[in-house]
C-alpha cells in the first residue's frame, strides 16, 4: 500500500511540474496562478501546495530541472577528436548540433522567461546560467585547450574562445527570437550560421 501511495504521489508531482512548465511558458510568472496549474494538472490546489510550498519554489524547480538536459551537450562538446584532417568536419558537426539544441522553441521560451524575471529572482537566473550554459562553455574551453595543446588550434584564452564560438552561432537566431517573441530561423538558416561560424572561428584561431 505504501509503495502504491508513493507512486501516486510521484505521478502527481510530475504532473504538477509538467503543468507548471506549460502555464509559466504561456502566461509568464506574474500571470500564472496556482489555480491555473492545479486545473491543468487535474489535481486540487491543496495538492499543489502539498508538493510545493509556494509558486516561487515551484517556478525554481521547473527552471532548474531543465539544466539536466544539457548533459548530452556537455558530452558532445567534450568529445571532439584531436585529428587535424577532420577538425573542420568535427567542429562543423558540433556547431550544427550546438545551434540546433540551443535554439529549440522551448529553450528559447525558457530563456525569455528567466530573463523576464531576473530582477525578481536573481539567484535563480544565476543558478540556471551556471548549471546550464556556463557548464557548456567551461567544457568547450577545456576542449579548445586540449586542441591547442595538440597543436590544432592557437588559443591563449580558451574560455574567451568558447564564448566567441557560441556567439558566432547564436547571436543572430537567439536575438531575433528574443526580440520578436518566437523563432524566426529555418533549418537552412541554422546550417548557414553553423558553417559560417566555424569558418570565422577557424580563421581566427587555427
Amino acid at each position: 500500500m505504501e509503495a502504491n501511495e508513493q507512486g501516486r504521489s510521484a505521478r502527481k508531482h510530475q504532473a504538477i511540474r509538467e503543468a507548471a512548465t506549460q502555464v509559466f511558458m504561456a502566461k509568464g510568472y506574474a500571470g500564472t496562478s496556482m489555480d491555473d496549474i492545479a486545473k491543468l494538472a487535474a489535481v486540487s490546489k491543496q495538492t499543489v501546495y502539498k508538493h510545493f510550498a509556494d509558486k516561487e519554489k515551484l517556478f525554481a524547480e521547473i527552471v532548474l530541472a531543465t539544466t539536466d538536459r544539457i548533459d548530452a551537450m556537455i558530452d558532445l562538446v567534450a568529445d571532439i577528436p584531436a585529428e587535424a584532417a577532420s577538425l573542420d568536419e568535427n567542429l562543423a558537426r558540433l556547431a550544427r548540433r550546438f545551434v540546433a539544441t540551443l535554439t529549440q522553441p522551448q529553450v528559447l521560451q525558457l530563456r525569455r522567461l528567466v530573463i523576464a524575471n531576473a530582477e525578481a529572482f536573481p539567484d535563480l537566473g544565476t543558478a540556471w546560467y551556471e548549471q546550464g550554459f556556463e557548464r557548456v562553455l567551461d567544457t568547450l574551453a577545456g576542449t579548445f585547450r586540449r586542441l591547442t595543446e595538440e597543436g590544432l588550434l592557437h588559443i591563449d584564452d580558451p574560455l574567451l574562445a568558447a564564448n566567441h564560438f557560441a556567439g558566432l552561432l547564436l547571436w543572430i537566431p537567439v536575438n531575433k527570437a528574443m526580440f520578436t517573441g518566437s523563432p524566426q530561423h529555418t533549418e537552412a538558416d541554422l546550417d548557414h550560421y553553423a558553417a559560417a561560424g566555424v569558418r570565422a572561428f577557424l580563421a581566427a584561431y587555427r
Side-chain angles (χ1 to χ4, degrees):
M1 181 67 71
E2 184 176 344
N4 288 339
E5 187 63 32
Q6 289 176 346
R8 282 194 294 271
S9 179
R11 287 192 294 273
K12 286 181 180 180
H13 190 91
Q14 183 60 27
I16 294 167
R17 278 180 46 170
E18 290 175 358
T21 300
Q22 290 184 48
V23 180
F24 281 130
M25 292 287 195
K27 296 186 175 183
Y29 180 82
T32 294
S33 71
M34 296 295 253
D35 284 315
D36 295 330
I37 294 167
K39 182 177 180 180
L40 186 60
V43 299
S44 68
K45 188 164 70 170
Q46 288 74 19
T47 298
V48 175
Y49 279 112
K50 180 180 177 182
H51 286 263
F52 299 94
D54 53 41
K55 187 171 76 166
E56 182 178 340
K57 287 184 173 58
L58 176 52
F59 182 60
E61 178 163 330
I62 68 106
V63 167
L64 294 178
T66 63
T67 61
D68 294 341
R69 303 174 191 172
I70 214 72
D71 290 344
M73 178 61 67
I74 295 287
D75 293 340
L76 180 69
V77 166
D79 198 32
I80 301 175
E83 299 171 356
S86 58
L87 180 62
D88 295 59
E89 180 183 344
N90 290 333
L91 284 180
R93 186 180 303 112
L94 168 64
R96 188 61 181 83
R97 291 273 300 277
F98 192 97
V99 73
T101 298
L102 295 177
T103 57
Q104 291 175 0
Q106 190 176 38
V107 174
L108 292 171
Q109 281 183 300
L110 184 62
R111 181 189 182 101
R112 189 180 301 109
L113 185 62
V114 171
I115 291 171
N117 293 279
E119 286 191 22
F121 307 114
D123 292 343
L124 178 60
T126 299
W128 188 72
Y129 181 79
E130 289 176 348
Q131 295 176 32
F133 196 52
E134 191 168 66
R135 285 173 57 213
V136 175
L137 291 173
D138 287 341
T139 303
L140 188 57
T143 296
F144 288 159
R145 186 178 295 109
R146 172 172 56 84
L147 294 176
T148 295
E149 291 169 354
E150 295 287 341
L152 276 68
L153 297 174
H154 294 87
I155 296 175
D156 295 325
D157 187 337
L159 184 57
L160 181 60
N163 277 275
H164 286 165
F165 185 83
L168 287 165
L169 303 178
L170 299 175
W171 177 265
I172 297 173
V174 169
N175 275 312
K176 280 187 175 181
M178 291 298 101
F179 284 110
T180 61
S182 63
Q184 302 296 307
H185 54 265
T186 65
E187 291 299 312
D189 289 332
L190 296 185
D191 288 339
H192 176 64
Y193 300 147
V198 169
R199 285 196 303 271
F201 181 82
L202 289 175
Y205 286 114
R206 181 152 59 182

